[in-house]
Amino acid sequence: GGSGFYSLLKDAEIVDLDTPFGKPSSPITVGSIGKKEVAFMARHGLNHEFPPHHIPYKANIHAFRELGVTRIIAPTAVGSLKKEIEPGHFLIPDQFMNYTRREDTFYEERPVTHISSSEPYCPELRKIIIDAAKRHNLPLHENGTVVVIEGPRFSSKAENEFFRRNNWDIINMTQYPEVVLAREMEICYSNISIITDYDAGMKNEPGIKSVTLEDVIRVFQENNEKLK
């Protein structure tokens, strides 16, 4: 996640790892939340220096694996593709559509290895997150399909219309290949999507404007405490 989560960790120490795939996005902070040992990484770097298409996804997941991480909770800012999924809402996706061109496997050598991604997000983690959101009365969508685009640009209106006609729900730039790389490393992975905007707007809805970076940052920050 983003840097606002360091405050959750007690008795934290910094672990600086190197992996066969290079350095991860940031040093990893290891501490505790309640009785759980938790490792935290800033996905975009400590100073947000990694845009979505340059994040070292394989190094990040491999570093977590080296530390013995068994479950990943991965918050992201997302755009909405449906009017009823409003900025400020939360959505816990259960499916993805990949529109990126990134390296997305650790299995580069023989024998050929195939994994199933029919149910890519961990059902146990999803239930825990959904139950927590309900306890705190957060505006919640319990499932949905996220379209992951390459970035760093936002979608055109034509792309947005195509995604919406396929009945997909939200759009993001970082969930893929995180989700499948975690599966290859046998780490349970679930996402918490914070709706920050309406992507490229909506046809026949003149009051719904296209996304700006300022919108994304503002709405995400407004909901950071709820996310914690």
Side-chain angles (χ1 to χ4, degrees):
S3 57
F5 289 87
Y6 290 115
S7 61
L8 292 176
L9 297 170
K10 308 299 181 186
D11 303 318
E13 62 174 318
I14 305 297
V15 180
D16 194 7
L17 287 178
D18 210 342
T19 79
F21 306 97
K23 288 262 188 200
S25 292
S26 74
I28 300 173
T29 306
V30 179
S32 60
I33 299 177
K35 296 181 179 179
K36 297 290 185 184
E37 188 177 21
V38 177
F40 176 81
M41 183 191 299
R43 180 194 281 112
H44 289 277
L46 295 178
N47 299 303
H48 213 92
E49 62 267 36
F50 292 105
H53 60 306
H54 285 164
I55 291 171
Y57 293 99
K58 291 170 78 169
N60 289 352
I61 299 299
H62 199 280
F64 277 147
R65 175 71 174 182
E66 286 182 37
L67 283 174
V69 166
T70 59
R71 300 172 189 272
I72 295 174
I73 299 172
T76 55
V78 306
S80 171
L81 297 170
K82 294 181 177 177
K83 187 177 181 180
E84 65 270 21
I85 303 175
E86 301 175 16
H89 287 191
F90 291 79
L91 186 146
I92 315 302
D94 58 348
Q95 289 292 319
F96 69 79
M97 283 294 301
N98 173 40
Y99 278 84
T100 73
R101 305 177 297 279
R102 300 166 184 164
E103 289 188 25
D104 59 0
T105 182
F106 291 106
Y107 297 127
E108 302 286 5
E109 300 172 358
R110 294 184 179 180
V112 176
T113 304
H114 301 283
I115 65 163
S116 170
S117 55
S118 61
E119 299 292 339
Y121 295 92
C122 173
E124 282 188 353
L125 272 184
R126 289 186 70 257
K127 184 178 186 306
I128 291 168
I129 293 166
I130 289 166
D131 288 348
K134 287 179 176 178
R135 284 198 308 274
H136 291 280
N137 297 313
L138 299 181
L140 179 70
H141 304 268
E142 296 185 23
N143 51 55
T145 296
V146 57
V147 181
V148 188
I149 61 172
E150 184 70 12
R153 69 170 178 85
F154 296 118
S155 300
S156 71
K157 288 188 176 181
E159 290 168 326
N160 172 280
E161 180 71 10
F162 171 74
F163 298 150
R164 290 196 298 113
R165 284 188 177 183
N166 279 283
N167 201 35
W168 300 327
D169 299 284
I170 54 175
I171 187 164
N172 170 256
M173 297 179 188
T174 57
Q175 287 189 48
Y176 194 91
E178 279 186 356
V179 58
V180 291
L181 293 174
R183 178 162 285 253
E184 287 190 350
M185 289 284 101
E186 300 182 344
I187 302 174
C188 297
Y189 179 101
S190 188
N191 168 263
I192 304 173
S193 288
I194 304 176
I195 316 303
T196 58
D197 58 86
Y198 278 111
D199 191 40
M202 290 197 174
K203 195 173 181 179
N204 302 322
E205 293 287 348
I208 296 179
K209 63 177 183 176
S210 298
V211 60
T212 67
L213 181 58
E214 290 75 19
D215 291 334
V216 174
I217 294 170
R218 176 180 55 79
V219 178
F220 195 91
Q221 289 177 343
E222 287 173 356
N223 287 277
N224 222 13
E225 291 305 313
K226 295 177 184 176
L227 180 57
K228 290 179 185 180

